[in-house]
């Protein structure tokens, strides 16, 4: 999966649609200067990584137990919008959490969406994506 041309400035609206600008939202997470304080924040930053084509961040933010050897992003897929549907735990003082989301995209076949319940766990105090169940 992937989207966009990858170019973002700190003043651009963040792709995760938090209402913040990229430089105050997901930008510092992708560049490693500010870790995600919650599972939802990590989910938003991972969506943004797909949106800007940052495969390295996707791998780094994946739990080591389930991390694939590589992530192949589709340059023809453009991520359009993220909806957070539900969160369960995943706060600053939790060790695990769940984020249910719907991510909308456009590709050569038209418009589509990915609906997933993602599980997150902390590794050495940092949130990591563990795995998820895709809803049909």
């Amino acid at each position: 999966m992937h989207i966009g041309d990858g170019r973002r400035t700190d003043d651009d609206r963040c792709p995760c649609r938090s209402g913040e600008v990229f430089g105050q939202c997901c930008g510092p997470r992708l560049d490693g200067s500010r870790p995600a304080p919650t599972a939802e924040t990590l989910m938003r930053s991972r969506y943004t990584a797909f949106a800007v084509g940052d495969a390295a961040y996707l791998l780094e933010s994946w739990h080591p137990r389930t991390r694939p050897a590589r992530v192949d992003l589709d340059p023809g897929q453009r991520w359009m919008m993220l909806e957070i549907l539900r969160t369960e735990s995943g706060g600053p003082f939790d060790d695990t959490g769940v984020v249910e989301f719907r991510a909308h995209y456009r590709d050569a076949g038209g418009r589509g969406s990915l609906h997933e319940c993602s599980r997150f766990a902390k590794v050495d105090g940092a949130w990591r994506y563990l795995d998820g169940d895709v809803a049909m």
Side-chain angles (χ1 to χ4, degrees):
M1 297 184 207
H2 162 67
I3 89 172
D5 60 13
R7 293 179 297 212
R8 290 274 181 245
T9 69
D10 285 350
D11 295 328
D12 288 340
R13 189 173 95 174
C14 194
C16 81
R17 298 179 62 102
S18 67
E20 296 287 333
V21 295
F22 182 70
Q24 294 296 315
C25 191
C26 292
R29 304 200 201 300
L30 272 61
D31 72 17
S33 64
R34 193 168 64 209
T38 66
E40 180 181 336
T41 305
L42 183 66
M43 175 63 242
R44 288 180 176 281
S45 68
R46 287 179 54 83
Y47 170 85
T48 296
F50 277 107
V52 302
D54 190 341
Y57 179 79
L58 291 168
L59 286 171
E60 188 273 321
S61 63
W62 215 303
H63 195 287
R65 191 176 61 200
T66 57
R67 180 184 300 136
R70 64 183 229 209
V71 173
D72 294 321
L73 301 176
D74 179 356
Q77 193 168 39
R78 181 159 183 224
W79 293 99
M80 307 302 293
M81 185 177 77
L82 175 66
E83 294 176 89
I84 301 297
L85 304 174
R86 164 181 80 86
T87 61
E88 180 182 308
S89 301
F93 303 108
D94 296 317
D95 290 324
T96 62
V98 174
V99 179
E100 181 179 2
F101 70 92
R102 185 173 290 116
H104 300 269
Y105 63 86
R106 188 179 312 156
D107 63 15
R111 294 176 188 247
S113 66
L114 170 67
H115 181 183
E116 182 176 306
C117 287
S118 296
R119 286 177 287 282
F120 297 85
K122 282 186 178 172
V123 176
D124 297 327
W127 283 106
R128 297 291 180 246
Y129 170 76
L130 184 60
D131 60 18
D133 295 320
V134 175
M136 297 293 172

